[in-house]
Every structure is written in C-alpha cells, then in structure tokens.
Amino acid sequence: MVYVRSVNFIVLVNGYPTYFFRGEWGLRQGCPLSPLRFLLVIEGLSLLIKITKHEGRLSSLKIATYAIISHLLFVDDVLLIGKGTMEEWVVLKDILDLFCRASCMEISSKKSNFHYNLINQSKLDTFKSMFGFVTTSLDEGFKYLGFTLKPNKYQFQDWLWLIKKIEKHIKNWAF
C-alpha cells in the first residue's frame, strides 16, 4: 500500500488558478490558520491542567468566592499559577513535557518566565535546572498582555511608558 508523502495545492482566485505551492506540517508564523490551530492544540494543555488539578496534584488561587484559577490562556500566552512546591513543579514539568511531545511544539525558554515570591535560593536553583526559564521576583512585577502587573502599589514611574505612548500619538494633533 502506498501513502502520501507530500502534497501540493493550487487555489482559484477570482476563478483563475494560482501557482502550485507545497503543503507543510506544523504551525507557521504568518499563516492565517495558525492562531486557530494553536487554540485547538492549547485547549489540550488546559484540559491536562484541569484534570491534574481535579486529581489534587496541582493547587490553584482563590481570588473570590466562586473564582478559583490555576491557569490563564490568552492566544499564545500561558500563565500557570501554583504554590511553588517541588511536587507541583514536577507535575507541571510532566504536563509540559507530555504536551510538547503530543503537539510537536516546543516551549521557548527565552520567552518564558518564572515569577516567584518568598522562595529560597536553593529551590530557585532547582527550578532553573528543571525548566531553564528566566526567573524574576514577583515584587518587580511582570508583563502580561503588554501590561506590567505588580503586587504592590504603582508609582509614577510605572506609568511613564503609557504617558510616552499617549504623548507620541497626540503630538501631531493641531488645535
């Protein structure tokens, strides 16, 4: 029995055929279908986290009476929330490794961050060796969806980026 190894496509645009182009595997940056395909795949990661949380192997954060979160997903940003215990790190490492094997995707250690609070240096070194992510104290704040979130009070200098952005847009206005 013979199987297909490669495929070529041709598309009709306004009734006229285009040139042949080769189909490829995987998600490609710039492909209009990539965001949809990524969302379908990342739903699998969310399900793995929910199942593990339901089994009691991962903790979550209670932010209100009926609002308990263990992870947030928005397009290609993933925010995992936990107590920071060694047991949870092992479970998260297993989940992420399984997800990467199943989806044929890789997690960029250069683009990934671990934000911590009240963790001693030996635990932090262990985490770095397990994941290879950049580590930052939660007191310094972190960027999520383009906005810096901080646990403590914001100061004037924390808003300078926004002021500069607004000034850039309104400097050309005429009165």
Side-chain angles (χ1 to χ4, degrees):
M1 180 172 251
V2 179
Y3 58 92
V4 177
R5 293 186 138 202
S6 65
V7 64
N8 291 318
F9 295 98
I10 194 166
V11 179
L12 293 177
V13 177
N14 294 329
Y16 297 100
T18 63
Y19 295 104
F20 281 99
F21 61 94
R22 178 176 288 257
E24 295 182 12
W25 285 93
L27 298 172
R28 300 280 186 261
Q29 190 168 1
C31 173
L33 290 177
S34 288
L36 174 62
R37 290 168 50 193
F38 181 80
L39 289 175
L40 293 173
V41 170
I42 205 71
E43 187 62 30
L45 175 63
S46 181
L47 187 60
L48 281 172
I49 293 169
K50 285 177 184 177
I51 289 169
T52 310
K53 184 181 148 217
H54 182 71
E55 293 171 349
R57 297 170 48 212
L58 284 178
S59 61
S60 53
L61 178 67
K62 184 175 184 177
I63 57 173
T65 306
Y66 296 105
I68 300 170
I69 56 174
S70 59
H71 61 289
L72 298 172
L73 305 172
F74 185 78
V75 188
D76 62 348
D77 286 335
V78 178
L79 183 63
L80 302 172
I81 299 165
K83 290 182 180 177
T85 64
M86 184 59 70
E87 294 80 17
E88 278 196 355
W89 291 349
V90 170
V91 170
L92 281 174
K93 179 76 171 143
D94 290 343
I95 288 172
L96 294 174
D97 287 346
L98 175 63
F99 173 74
C100 288
R101 283 192 312 273
S103 66
C104 297
M105 296 173 70
E106 293 180 21
I107 297 171
S108 171
S109 59
K110 292 178 182 175
K111 294 181 180 179
S112 302
N113 294 292
F114 173 69
H115 301 281
Y116 61 89
N117 190 30
L118 305 174
I119 292 179
N120 64 38
Q121 190 61 43
S122 65
K123 273 187 160 185
L124 197 56
D125 292 340
T126 303
F127 179 86
K128 285 180 186 179
S129 67
M130 284 176 70
F131 291 92
F133 297 164
V134 174
T135 58
T136 311
S137 171
L138 197 55
D139 289 332
E140 295 176 31
F142 64 96
K143 249 188 169 165
Y144 185 64
L145 303 178
F147 185 74
T148 303
L149 302 173
K150 295 177 78 174
N152 300 320
K153 291 183 179 178
Y154 286 91
Q155 298 175 357
F156 178 77
Q157 56 266 27
D158 295 325
W159 296 100
L160 287 177
W161 68 272
L162 181 61
I163 293 168
K164 288 178 183 176
K165 196 171 191 176
I166 292 171
E167 285 176 346
K168 180 181 171 187
H169 286 288
I170 64 172
K171 74 178 181 180
N172 297 325
W173 289 6
F175 292 100

